[in-house]
Amino acid sequence: MRLRPSPLVIVATLALGVLFLKPILVTSQTTTPAPLSAYQVGKEKSGFIYLDAPLRAMQNDDFSNPGYLWVQKGQALWSTADGTNGKSCQTCHSAAETSMRGVGARYPAYDPKSGKVIDLEQRINEMRVDMMGAKPYKWESPQLLALTTFVKLQSRGMPVDVTTTGPAHAAWVAGKTFYDTPRGQLGVSCQMCHVQHAGDQLRSDTLSQGQTNGFPTYRLKWQAVGSVQRRFRGCNAKVRAQPLPFGSQQYVDLELYVASRGQGLPIETPSVRR
Amino acid sequence: MDQTVQSRLLVPSTAKKGDIIEIKTLISHPMLSGFTKDSSGKTIPRDIINTFTCTFNGQQVFKMDLNPAISANPFISFPVRVDQSGTFEFTWVDDNGKIYKNTAQITVS
């Protein structure tokens, strides 16, 4: 398992239409890749297991992994002051490498203030509004994706550890109900593909278990990093159901349930997926 | 990704004279092929990185022409033999004439 967050510093300066980017020289990238068994807990398999060798290599090399472009951007945003209070994330949380370690593994989590379960994106935006006096980032905006990816990277290698009991239980039940309910013109539920038929072929592709331990993920189809909710919307549209809007509570509850299915799987953010 | 293009480099900081080193580069760019359409059916104009060059102490050591089938965020890797210390300069040029540059130093002993 790879537990080494690689610290990168990027300072971009813009001069007269020509972008000069200060070099970031990443030190040696060679680490022994974790055995495949590290990506499986009991019967739960990470999407990593369903990848072919070149994609696994791409994910495991912090340089060739394009998700790192978002990490780099997220790292810059972490220390950029924004909003009326003149604060950045760093002002209160200092180094993300220590303060954010394990945070990504806990979300979605119950938020006493709003009285509901919120995901990492909502948590970041809540902090921006309450503590920084800044505008919330738009869902799926490059900034929100970058910051979420950067924060979740700090938990890489740690097991998914969401709480499904106590005040979060109702949301977990709602998420499970959503997961098991057939929807759309095709009348297909999440579990039909990702539980009953996981590992089977769907045309040329192998159905995975739909685990979310690698999100936000760099998906080749998107040629970009995307959130779990973007994936949910894509799945919903594929069964010809009306996708729900980003940030809807049903999707957040679903995120919690899906995360709980993969309890114990290592966080792989930013993962590479087909 | 938004329009703030970022590049990443992996160049060893030291090498022995005559060594063949591997250089890796990555740049964030949407690489719009010119064949896609937006939601209103209008063609999205082509905008790709069309040329990539690498110079060492001002002398060109690698050049590549890129074509529309190359995916977003192109990753380019190539070997170079180094005989002296110096500076690598990397240049990416896209269809809008925008030039992105990045440099890296190497000390050769």
Side-chain angles (χ1 to χ4, degrees):
Chain A
M1 207 172 302
R2 313 176 71 241
L3 298 162
R4 174 188 47 82
S6 100
L8 310 166
V9 181
I10 177 85
V11 185
T13 43
L14 180 66
L16 298 171
V18 178
L19 281 161
F20 283 95
L21 295 138
K22 293 216 173 143
I24 27 144
L25 299 173
V26 191
T27 47
S28 172
Q29 303 288 316
T30 41
T31 44
T32 326
L36 270 191
S37 57
Y39 296 91
Q40 181 164 3
V41 174
K43 285 183 177 168
E44 305 305 331
K45 291 180 187 169
S46 161
F48 188 85
I49 289 181
Y50 297 91
L51 297 180
D52 51 9
L55 281 185
R56 286 179 189 159
M58 191 196 240
Q59 173 175 324
N60 278 341
D61 178 353
D62 289 352
F63 190 83
S64 64
N65 183 343
Y68 262 80
L69 291 165
W70 278 257
V71 170
Q72 194 169 295
K73 196 180 169 66
Q75 181 161 38
L77 287 173
W78 178 261
S79 53
T80 309
D82 196 5
T84 51
N85 297 348
K87 285 184 183 174
S88 69
C89 308
Q90 201 174 31
T91 316
C92 299
H93 295 291
S94 58
E97 285 74 16
T98 46
S99 63
M100 290 297 120
R101 182 113 184 102
V103 172
R106 286 201 305 271
Y107 274 80
Y110 182 75
D111 174 39
K113 190 177 149 264
S114 54
K116 56 188 185 186
V117 167
I118 60 171
D119 62 16
L120 194 56
E121 283 89 344
Q122 289 172 320
R123 183 69 180 152
I124 289 170
N125 270 337
E126 191 181 281
M127 295 304 276
R128 280 180 60 79
V129 173
D130 294 352
M131 308 305 287
M132 293 163 69
K135 280 187 190 161
Y137 289 133
K138 278 196 185 126
W139 271 92
E140 219 58 19
S141 63
Q143 293 89 346
L144 187 56
L145 283 172
L147 208 47
T148 312
T149 308
F150 176 66
V151 169
K152 204 161 171 192
L153 166 73
Q154 311 309 328
S155 309
R156 186 163 66 172
M158 296 178 76
V160 174
D161 184 21
V162 290
T163 308
T164 56
T165 51
H169 188 68
W172 182 84
V173 172
K176 181 168 169 48
T177 309
F178 190 101
Y179 197 83
D180 295 340
T181 307
R183 62 193 62 250
Q185 282 183 324
L186 299 186
V188 174
S189 70
C190 310
Q191 65 92 18
M192 285 182 193
C193 284
H194 296 297
V195 177
Q196 290 180 27
H197 288 285
D200 293 352
Q201 294 294 122
L202 183 67
R203 293 189 178 169
S204 65
D205 209 357
T206 311
L207 283 166
S208 78
Q209 291 183 351
Q211 301 288 0
T212 54
N213 56 318
F215 277 85
T217 185
Y218 187 89
R219 197 165 172 230
L220 300 188
K221 183 185 169 186
W222 296 334
Q223 305 215 338
V225 163
S227 68
V228 189
Q229 298 214 358
R230 180 170 178 190
R231 194 69 192 90
F232 287 165
R233 284 171 57 87
C235 258
N236 277 180
K238 279 279 149 60
V239 300
R240 300 185 198 157
Q242 183 71 45
L244 301 175
F246 279 114
S248 56
Q249 193 58 42
Q250 281 164 291
Y251 273 170
V252 178
D253 295 346
L254 183 60
E255 266 189 68
L256 175 64
Y257 175 70
V258 176
S260 78
R261 285 187 65 218
Q263 197 86 288
L265 288 177
I267 301 281
E268 287 172 37
T269 308
S271 65
V272 176
R273 297 288 185 264
R274 288 187 299 263
Chain B
M1 205 76 200
D2 72 357
Q3 289 311 299
T4 322
V5 170
Q6 311 169 83
S7 61
R8 303 185 76 215
L9 298 176
L10 188 64
V11 180
S13 53
T14 56
K16 286 203 180 80
K17 187 171 158 56
D19 269 3
I20 294 172
I21 58 163
E22 192 188 17
I23 291 180
K24 292 178 179 181
T25 72
L26 183 70
I27 188 163
S28 67
H29 196 279
M31 298 290 276
L32 303 167
S33 67
F35 297 108
T36 49
K37 293 186 168 64
D38 65 14
S39 51
S40 60
K42 252 176 66 181
T43 302
I44 303 169
R46 189 184 113 158
D47 181 15
I48 63 168
I49 302 264
N50 56 43
T51 317
F52 167 76
T53 44
C54 170
T55 61
F56 184 59
N57 290 341
Q59 191 195 348
Q60 182 175 301
V61 290
F62 184 84
K63 181 169 188 287
M64 179 176 174
D65 291 332
L66 288 86
N67 288 292
I70 293 173
S71 69
N73 312 319
F75 168 81
I76 300 167
S77 170
F78 53 92
V80 174
R81 199 185 75 205
V82 283
D83 289 327
Q84 52 179 311
S85 301
T87 308
F88 284 102
E89 187 173 72
F90 303 87
T91 313
W92 295 260
V93 184
D94 74 11
D95 284 344
N96 291 330
K98 281 196 197 139
I99 298 165
Y100 311 100
K101 283 176 190 267
N102 204 341
T103 56
Q105 309 278 342
I106 187 165
T107 310
V108 174
S109 53

